[in-house]
Amino acid sequence: MYATSDKTPGEESSGGAEKETSKTKEVGWKLREALKQQLAIIHERVEAKKLAKLALAEVRLLLAKEEAYKELELGKKEIMAKVKERVATRMQEEEEKMEKEEMEKAVEKLGMEKAKPLYVKREESQELKSEKKAEGEGKEAEEKVMGQVNKIKKCRKTETCALVK
């Protein structure tokens, strides 16, 4: 009945407890390792979410800048179109104004010419021609005289002129 083993009955019971405690320690270590792994995974996911949020914010910022640039370009185009339209209307108004003035002048000339009788008109035109001709001849004669006076003045200074002697 007695066991031939060297262990006493008290020792046997303590040996079983050591096996149980080592098993619980082993299970505890495994649980710790699993928890550490899961915690590392959770941290990785949190970091990934942070990076994704930062990337999304940068993309949104770039899109906002691009949209603002497009709006600015569109605004510039609208302003340029308005300016071109204004310039075109001003030029058209100026052209119309000039044409109107030219037409008024032409109408005035025609009105003046129609108001005068034809024979008066012919007489005036002949008088004008004769006056212009006389003025032209008078100017030519005056220029000749002034030219001779200038020659005489030069000759007196140099005393080599045949006219002065």
Side-chain angles (χ1 to χ4, degrees):
M1 290 207 303
Y2 290 103
T4 55
S5 67
D6 294 337
K7 296 182 182 180
T8 59
E11 287 179 0
E12 280 182 19
S13 65
S14 67
E18 280 181 25
K19 285 183 181 178
E20 279 185 34
T21 56
S22 70
K23 281 185 181 179
T24 55
K25 281 185 181 180
E26 192 176 309
V27 169
W29 283 107
K30 285 182 181 178
L31 281 174
R32 277 189 197 155
E33 282 299 313
L35 287 173
K36 282 183 182 178
Q37 286 177 353
Q38 285 193 353
L39 186 62
I41 291 171
I42 290 171
H43 281 297
E44 287 176 6
R45 286 183 182 171
V46 168
E47 286 297 316
K49 282 184 180 179
K50 284 181 183 177
L51 290 175
K53 285 181 181 179
L54 287 173
L56 183 62
E58 285 186 33
V59 167
R60 286 181 179 160
L61 181 66
L62 287 173
L63 288 174
K65 283 182 181 179
E66 197 172 297
E67 185 68 26
Y69 180 75
K70 285 181 182 178
E71 288 176 7
L72 183 64
E73 287 296 316
L74 183 63
K76 283 182 182 179
K77 287 179 182 178
E78 288 176 359
I79 289 171
M80 290 300 290
K82 287 179 182 178
V83 167
K84 286 180 180 179
E85 184 179 324
R86 287 181 186 166
V87 168
T89 55
R90 283 184 188 168
M91 287 182 66
Q92 186 177 4
E93 288 172 359
E94 287 294 320
E95 286 177 4
E96 289 173 359
K97 184 179 176 182
M98 289 174 60
E99 286 177 8
K100 186 178 179 181
E101 288 175 358
E102 288 176 5
M103 292 295 285
E104 287 175 358
K105 286 179 183 178
V107 168
E108 285 178 15
K109 282 185 179 181
L110 286 175
M112 293 172 112
E113 289 178 5
K114 286 183 179 179
K116 294 181 182 179
L118 287 177
Y119 66 91
V120 174
K121 188 192 251 184
R122 287 182 186 166
E123 288 177 7
E124 286 180 1
S125 64
Q126 288 176 356
E127 287 177 9
L128 287 175
K129 286 180 184 177
S130 62
E131 285 179 11
K132 287 182 182 178
K133 192 174 185 182
E135 284 179 13
E137 290 175 359
K139 285 183 182 178
E140 289 175 11
E142 187 177 333
E143 288 176 4
K144 283 183 182 179
V145 170
M146 290 302 291
Q148 288 178 354
V149 169
N150 286 335
K151 283 182 184 179
I152 293 171
K153 285 181 181 179
K154 286 180 184 177
C155 289
R156 285 186 182 165
K157 287 180 183 177
T158 59
E159 296 182 10
T160 58
C161 183
L163 295 174
V164 176
K165 293 179 183 175

